[in-house]
Each structure stands twice: as C-alpha cells, then as structure tokens.
Amino acid sequence: MACLLEAPLRISVLSEVTATSRHYVDRLFDPDPQKVLQGVIDMKNAVIGNNKQKANLIVLGAVPRLLYLLQQSSSSLELRTECSVVLGSLAMGTENNIKSLVDCHIIPALLQGLLCPDLIFIEACLRCLRTVFISPVTPVQLLYTDPTVIPHLMSLLSRSQRTQEYITQIFSHCCKTPEHQTVLFNHGAIQNIAPLLISPSYKVRMQALKCFSVLAYENTQVSMTLVNVLVDGELLSQVFVRMMQRDQPIEMQLTAAKCLTYMCRAGAIKTDDSCIVLKTLPCLVRMCSKEHLLEERVEGAETLAYLMEPDVELQRIASTTDHLVAMLADYFKYPSSVSAITDIKRLDHDLKHAHELRQAAFKLYASLGSNDEDIRKKITETENMMDRIVSGLSESSIKVRLAAVRCLHSLSRSVQQLRTSFHDHAVWKPLMKLLQNAPDEVLVMASSTLCNLLLEFSPSKEPILESGVIELLCSLTQSDSPALRVNGIWALMNMAFQADQKVKVEIVRCLGTEQLFRLLSDPDTNVLMKTLGLLRNLLSTRPHIDQIMSSHGKQIMQAVTLILEAEHSIEVKEQTLCILANIGDGNTAKDLIMTNDDMLQKIKYYMGHSNVKLQLAATFCISNLIWNEEDGSQERQDKLREMGFVDILHKLTQAPDSSLSDRAKTAMQQYLA
C-alpha cells in the first residue's frame, strides 16, 4: 500500500514548491511598486542557500522580469538594487543557473547599470557581475564586446573598496589571452591597480595581486613595465617580496611568488637576482611541503617548475633546498590511509584531486632534471621513482600521462640513465603503448623520448626495433604537425646510425622513396635537416651506399641537386654536401657523381665558397673521388684535373683555416702518390 501512496505524495510536494515559487514570480508583476519591492525582498530571502528554489524561479521566468525591472528608469533605486542582489544570489547556484542568466543577457544589462551614479547600486551590479564572470561557463569575451566597458570599469576603481575588490576580481578572471592583456594594459590597468596593493583591505590587496599575475604571464611588455613601477615610493618587485613573507596568508605568498616568477620568465628580472634566488624560489619550495593544502602544493610545484625550466643554476639551487627531491616523493603517497585529514569533506575532495599532485610532481621532476646529470641521478634514485613514472604513463588522466612522459623525456637526456634505470625498468614498453593512440601533445613528448631511447648506446634500441617501431615512426613523418614529423624522422635517423643493412633496407621500404623526397622538400627546416641526417646515416659503409644508390641513386642525386640549387641555410647545404661525400665513398656509387658534370661543377663552386664549412664538405667529397687505392682512381683524377680541381686544391692548401688546408693537402697527396 505504501508503494502506491509514494507517487502521489511526490507530485503534491513538487506542485506545492512550484506553487510557492509561482507566487514569488507573480508578485513581480503587481501594479503597486511597493508590493513589487516587497516581493523582490521576499524572493531574496527565499533563495539564499536554496538551490532548488533558485532553479524553480529561473524555470518560471523570474530572470527576464527582474532584468526588466533593473533596467527601468521608472523603477526606484532601491528596487533596482534589490533586483541585482537577487540576480547575484541566483548566479551563486549551479552552472545551469549561470547559463540561463547569460542567455537572458544579464551581462549587458548589469554593465548598463554601472552608468548609474548611485554607488550602492553600482556595487550591487558589480557584485553580481563578479559572480557571473568567475563561473567557468561564462564566455569572458562578453566583457570586451563593448570597447567603452573597460575604461569605465577603470574609472570606477576609485569609488570604494568594494568596487576595487569586484572589478579587480572580474579582470583577473577575464584576462585569458594576450589580446585581453593588451586591452587591459592599454587602458591603464597597471597604474590604476598598483596603488591597490597597499590598500587597507586584504581582499582588495589579494585581488589586485591576482590581477598582476594574469597580466604578467608570458607577457614581456607588461613585465618590463611592472619592474619600474613604484607603489608609495617602493619598487613593485619589493612589494611582492614583502607579500611572500611567512607571516602573510599562504594565498598571498603564492600569488606574489607567481608574479615574480612570470616577470622573471618574461625577461624582466634576471634569474640570479636576489628576489628570485633568495625569496621566490625558497617560497615556492616551502609550498611543496606536506603541511600545506593539496591545491597549494600543486600550485607551488607547478610554478616552481615553470620558474626554473630554462635555468640550470636555479635547478641546482632548488634541488638542494629543503630536500625538495625527497619531499616530492610524498606527492605520490597522498592521501595515505593514515592521513591526518579529519575533515571528511576535505578528504573526499583530496581523493578526487590526488592525481593533480602526481601531475605536479612529474612536471617539477622534469624541470629539475632537464640539464644536470647529478640531479637526474638523485631523481631516479628516489624511492620507486621509475615504477611511478611507468605507472604514470598509463594513468586515466591525460594530464598525468603527459606530465609523466615529460619527466621521462627529461631523464632520457642522460646517457647513464638510458643505460641503467631505463633498461632495468623496460620503460620502452609503456612508452610504445602510449604512442599507439594518444593526443598530439602526448605524442610529441613520447616520440621525443623515443628518439633518445633509439640512440646507439641505449640498450633499449634493440628491443624497440624488434617491436615493429619502424612503421609507427614512418606514419609520424606524414603528420600535419611539424613537431611530430621532426620526431618521426629524427627517431629513424637515430635508428639508422651504424645499423645493419637489414634495418636500413626496412626503413627505406617502409618510408617509401616518395615520402622520403617529400620530406626533403618540407617547408620546416628542422624536418629537412633530420631527413638529410637520415639519408647520411643510410648512406654509410660502402656495401650499404652502393646498394641504396643502385636502387634509388637517380632520385637521391636529383634531390641533392635541388637542395644545392635552392635558397637554403649553410647547415642544410653542408649536410647535403656530406651526403655527396658519402656517395663518393661508395665503390660503384661514385660513378653517379663522376658521370654528372653538372654536379661536379656544383662541388667546384662550393670549394671556392666564402663559408669554410661548405668548402670543407666539398673538398672531402673530391678527396673520396680521387682516393688512390680504388679501382678507376687514375681516370677520375685525370678528369678532375682537366676540370681545374687540382688548381683549386692547391689554392686551398694555403687556406688560413687549418682543417681546410689539411684536408686539401691530403687530397693533393693522392695526385703525388
């Protein structure tokens, strides 16, 4: 019987709720302005902390009516203010609430409201705008649609502490792109917001600080300007240093450290400046310790990784500060079963976000180990580190996988680690798995790491070869992404270095001559250079040179001609002449040069070039063609003598560059022997 009663009971409760909500909406249409005002005030009290009530009122159409009342000049100021308060309360509900408000054009209505001279109404509109804009579902571009909005907001900063807090919070949430930074910068954000850093209100100081962190991020123009700003006679950087002191709230210390980090990375503060070495870096290391909250540890580690990424000296200092390398190992054990967290809500939150700690630790390890061999050793010797990286490569979170592979890439720059830890943990297996199906940013990092694992001294090279990697790498060379094409060809180049003939033949077969020559005309110079490197490695040792040239000689010579004739850098032409020198070292392959007078004239031209590197490579090529101990050397020497090569060699023996003169003398000896 109870089961039968349940449904009608639910319906009656729902209709009761809707009826109450309907009553609130109906009162907004009362002809008596006083009753409308009282209705809005009652609605305000009804929705506080009640998400269900908020959703009902939105569904029943309260928003368009509230916005209408807010925009009517005939409405009293008190009514307009109360309307914006209710709208702000509705915005504090769910993301769906925000979407509904934005769809009803709440933003232009509130921005229009800011033109009213009444401060209390302005503050109510700003508070509501702030709530709408800090939601991730609000399109921030709506702040920039009307070009008069930003200058007007700047002019309102001086009105009260509340306007300062709300406007700076809106700016820091809506500054997402370099274009946004430029708009705010051009409208005087720096000079208008800088004085707020010494406001008596903590909230204002904090929001102003957050504003500077988003303005300075990867922005040289802003950062260079900030360095020279004075706040009450004190340099801005010193104000930030003061805000990092231990007696300040953690949020403030962290945000001030971010400001200085971004200014440093943008080149406005030197990496050896005391405010970076003695203040910012230690502050960020401090944030990584386990007494801080999860999000503070994540932000601290990620900011520190960014600060020292390009600077080996900062990496060395950080690695010896407060046992940082060991401290980061705790990021993988959190929250532990004996966690000190007694707050259940906090524990639940941290369990859901623990992967962010692992991601931050991998990022920081990657940054720490990107240059120094001793630091890499320290990292790999940290408890279970390699196992943690291997696990990270197969985590469900794409961000953790990317950070783990970035860490692996950083460590793979070490010859010692490639020979030891990488081999012991067979890291190539999960890496290969990751390469099978991953987004481009993961593929770029994973394929870069694979390039290092395929170096000739890496014990992983053999098992990787046996796993059928050639096909995978050849497919990368066809990618639309230049970075993936470079990595694919680079890995093949490393693989071809001193490889067996079988491997080389397989590379040529799998890549296909058509694709090889397409890569030789790639618009990206890096791709071209690596393809030339691959060709040079394929054309090494005589039997290999002769075999490849017998089947693909015509196309290779054609490609070499095109590169030598085109507008290319010295490096590209040098690499191409080195390939020609390798062809000249073949037994039968050298005939392809000797029977091509046009090619010989090109070599002659480069022997007389103004660049020593090109002269050296061209002379090396001739040296291989006239070498005495080989069949037909006499005929080749005679032909080259007739073409004037001996005179050029004679001249080069007097060259000021010792390598070039020695190379020319060695070649001349072939004629004298």
Side-chain angles (χ1 to χ4, degrees):
M1 198 62 187
C3 290
L4 291 172
L5 276 170
E6 201 175 350
L9 191 70
R10 270 195 195 150
I11 290 163
S12 65
V13 169
L14 185 66
S15 57
E16 212 173 285
V17 172
T18 315
T20 335
S21 307
R22 167 64 64 196
H23 170 63
Y24 287 121
V25 177
D26 289 344
R27 288 169 71 189
L28 300 179
F29 292 88
D30 197 292
D32 180 351
Q34 211 44 47
K35 285 184 180 171
V36 173
L37 175 62
Q38 194 51 52
V40 174
I41 292 169
D42 291 346
M43 186 185 278
K44 174 180 75 176
N45 295 330
V47 296
I48 292 171
N50 188 337
N51 274 351
K52 202 169 185 180
Q53 185 68 278
K54 288 176 189 178
N56 281 333
L57 290 170
I58 290 171
V59 169
L60 292 167
V63 177
R65 183 63 184 169
L66 287 165
L67 286 170
Y68 172 79
L69 295 169
L70 178 113
Q71 292 174 91
Q72 286 307 299
S73 50
S74 56
S75 298
S76 68
L77 259 177
E78 192 184 355
L79 173 60
R80 294 170 75 190
T81 304
E82 290 294 349
C83 283
S84 66
V85 172
V86 175
L87 288 163
S89 192
L90 294 176
M92 283 181 175
T94 63
E95 287 187 352
N96 280 337
N97 291 9
I98 296 272
K99 282 179 186 164
S100 304
L101 292 170
V102 172
D103 290 344
C104 290
H105 307 293
I106 189 174
I107 292 172
L110 291 168
L111 289 171
Q112 192 64 31
L114 299 179
L115 298 172
C116 169
D118 184 79
L119 181 60
I120 292 170
F121 178 57
I122 286 173
E123 287 176 352
C125 287
L126 283 171
R127 191 184 308 115
C128 185
L129 275 167
R130 181 269 317 262
T131 307
V132 173
F133 273 122
I134 63 174
S135 165
V137 298
T138 306
V140 295
Q141 203 49 43
L142 293 171
L143 186 69
Y144 303 93
T145 313
D146 178 347
T148 63
V149 168
I150 302 293
H152 184 60
L153 287 170
M154 293 291 177
S155 72
L156 293 174
L157 276 170
S158 57
R159 294 290 299 270
S160 73
Q161 280 185 9
R162 284 202 179 103
T163 65
Q164 289 167 355
E165 180 196 336
Y166 302 147
I167 291 169
T168 46
Q169 196 170 358
I170 289 168
F171 285 163
S172 63
H173 274 276
C174 294
C175 185
K176 303 282 186 197
T177 67
E179 292 73 34
H180 297 161
Q181 289 173 325
T182 304
V183 170
L184 293 170
F185 176 81
N186 289 343
H187 283 107
I190 292 176
Q191 48 274 45
N192 281 303
I193 298 170
L196 308 186
L197 290 168
I198 52 170
S199 162
S201 156
Y202 171 75
K203 283 181 175 176
V204 172
R205 292 199 304 278
M206 197 54 235
Q207 292 306 332
L209 191 57
K210 283 183 177 174
C211 242
F212 281 127
S213 81
V214 295
L215 282 168
Y217 180 65
E218 292 191 343
N219 193 309
T220 305
Q221 185 188 30
V222 170
S223 297
M224 289 294 190
T225 308
L226 290 178
V227 171
N228 301 310
V229 170
L230 290 172
V231 181
D232 205 23
E234 189 179 19
L235 276 172
L236 191 64
S237 55
Q238 287 312 304
V239 176
F240 292 153
V241 166
R242 228 183 34 252
M243 289 174 148
M244 286 191 296
Q245 286 171 353
R246 288 169 187 258
D247 59 350
Q248 297 296 335
I250 298 298
E251 179 189 28
M252 183 167 272
Q253 290 182 48
L254 243 176
T255 313
K258 279 169 109 171
C259 289
L260 288 163
T261 293
Y262 298 159
M263 288 164 72
C264 177
R265 281 300 306 266
I269 301 175
K270 290 201 165 99
T271 52
D272 59 358
D273 191 299
S274 63
C275 77
I276 297 296
V277 178
L278 302 177
K279 301 291 182 184
T280 310
L281 187 142
C283 170
L284 291 168
V285 172
R286 214 164 53 233
M287 295 301 148
C288 298
S289 67
K290 56 180 166 195
E291 63 262 19
H292 290 296
L293 292 174
L294 177 139
E295 44 272 44
E296 292 161 1
R297 294 169 78 189
V298 167
E299 213 171 324
E302 292 194 337
T303 308
L304 180 56
Y306 182 67
L307 171 66
M308 64 188 180
E309 195 174 19
D311 192 272
V312 65
E313 209 37 57
L314 287 180
Q315 290 158 15
R316 286 181 185 136
I317 295 165
S319 72
T320 56
T321 306
D322 292 352
H323 309 289
L324 176 66
V325 175
M327 195 197 295
L328 284 176
D330 287 335
Y331 278 44
F332 296 95
K333 308 170 189 169
Y334 183 89
S336 63
S337 51
V338 288
S339 182
I341 306 172
T342 47
D343 176 354
I344 293 297
K345 248 185 180 172
R346 168 49 66 176
L347 183 61
D348 183 52
H349 168 274
D350 285 6
L351 283 166
K352 282 181 189 150
H353 294 269
H355 67 276
E356 290 174 21
L357 272 178
R358 295 193 291 279
Q359 177 196 338
F362 283 138
K363 272 189 190 171
L364 187 42
Y365 276 138
S367 193
L368 273 169
S370 56
N371 291 293
D372 188 283
E373 194 59 45
D374 292 337
I375 301 175
R376 290 184 194 126
K377 190 169 184 291
K378 214 173 179 179
I379 293 170
T380 50
E381 286 171 359
T382 305
E383 49 175 325
N384 308 327
M385 191 58 216
M386 292 309 287
D387 291 333
R388 285 182 176 135
I389 295 175
V390 168
S391 310
L393 294 174
S394 54
E395 277 213 29
S396 57
S397 160
I398 186 75
K399 288 183 174 175
V400 176
R401 292 207 298 278
L402 180 59
V405 78
R406 190 180 284 169
C407 180
L408 195 62
H409 178 249
S410 183
L411 299 174
S412 74
R413 291 180 177 142
S414 156
V415 176
Q416 190 192 359
Q417 297 311 325
L418 284 173
R419 284 181 169 154
T420 53
S421 317
F422 276 58
H423 184 54
D424 298 342
H425 291 83
V427 295
W428 65 270
K429 288 182 182 173
L431 191 66
M432 288 291 290
K433 198 174 169 192
L434 195 60
L435 279 162
Q436 302 304 326
N437 183 22
D440 273 10
E441 55 179 342
V442 175
L443 270 181
V444 168
M445 216 26 93
S447 52
S448 278
T449 311
L450 194 64
C451 288
N452 292 344
L453 264 69
L454 285 166
L455 289 164
E456 103 283 2
F457 48 73
S458 162
S460 306
K461 183 174 180 176
E462 278 310 307
I464 293 174
L465 266 173
E466 286 160 18
S467 73
V469 73
I470 296 177
E471 216 152 291
L472 173 78
L473 296 174
C474 290
S475 69
L476 288 183
T477 69
Q478 296 178 11
S479 166
D480 291 337
S481 152
L484 283 177
R485 291 203 300 281
V486 167
N487 287 350
I489 206 77
W490 194 342
L492 289 168
M493 180 186 92
N494 287 351
M495 193 185 285
F497 182 74
Q498 294 183 352
D500 299 340
Q501 191 157 348
K502 190 179 79 171
V503 173
K504 291 183 179 179
V505 168
E506 182 57 20
I507 291 173
V508 175
R509 185 201 65 75
C510 194
L511 192 60
T513 44
E514 220 171 282
Q515 175 61 3
L516 183 62
F517 299 117
R518 200 176 292 128
L519 292 164
L520 285 171
S521 55
D522 198 283
D524 189 290
T525 308
N526 285 330
V527 175
L528 175 56
M529 278 297 282
K530 293 292 177 272
T531 309
L532 290 169
L534 168 64
L535 205 46
R536 193 173 164 185
N537 286 351
L538 290 171
L539 295 168
S540 61
T541 75
R542 283 183 186 160
H544 299 182
I545 296 168
D546 290 333
Q547 194 203 2
I548 290 173
M549 290 308 288
S550 68
S551 48
H552 305 292
K554 194 179 167 194
Q555 293 122 306
I556 290 172
M557 292 300 283
Q558 210 175 343
V560 166
T561 306
L562 287 172
I563 292 169
L564 291 177
E565 285 177 353
E567 288 292 317
H568 282 298
S569 66
I570 297 293
E571 288 73 27
V572 166
K573 296 210 169 181
E574 181 194 13
Q575 190 81 293
T576 309
L577 287 166
C578 288
I579 288 169
L580 213 45
N582 282 14
I583 295 168
D585 192 37
N587 288 322
T588 55
K590 52 167 58 83
D591 293 341
L592 286 160
I593 303 175
M594 287 307 300
T595 54
N596 185 336
D597 284 3
D598 178 46
M599 187 60 80
L600 289 170
Q601 290 297 345
K602 283 184 173 54
I603 296 170
K604 194 174 177 182
Y605 164 76
Y606 283 108
M607 284 174 80
H609 199 278
S610 57
N611 185 282
V612 174
K613 285 180 176 177
L614 298 184
Q615 286 181 290
L616 250 172
T619 308
F620 191 37
C621 189
I622 288 301
S623 186
N624 281 348
L625 291 173
I626 60 175
W627 206 255
N628 258 328
E629 297 143 26
E630 293 161 13
D631 291 345
S633 61
Q634 191 58 54
E635 290 88 335
R636 287 193 293 277
Q637 285 181 9
D638 292 345
K639 177 171 181 176
L640 295 174
R641 187 195 298 273
E642 281 169 31
M643 290 181 75
F645 278 92
V646 175
D647 298 338
I648 298 172
L649 284 172
H650 188 68
K651 211 180 284 178
L652 290 178
T653 57
Q654 308 302 313
D657 184 272
S658 60
S659 307
L660 181 56
S661 60
D662 289 350
R663 171 59 56 198
K665 284 170 191 168
T666 307
M668 282 298 286
Q669 279 165 7
Q670 302 307 307
Y671 276 99
L672 303 171

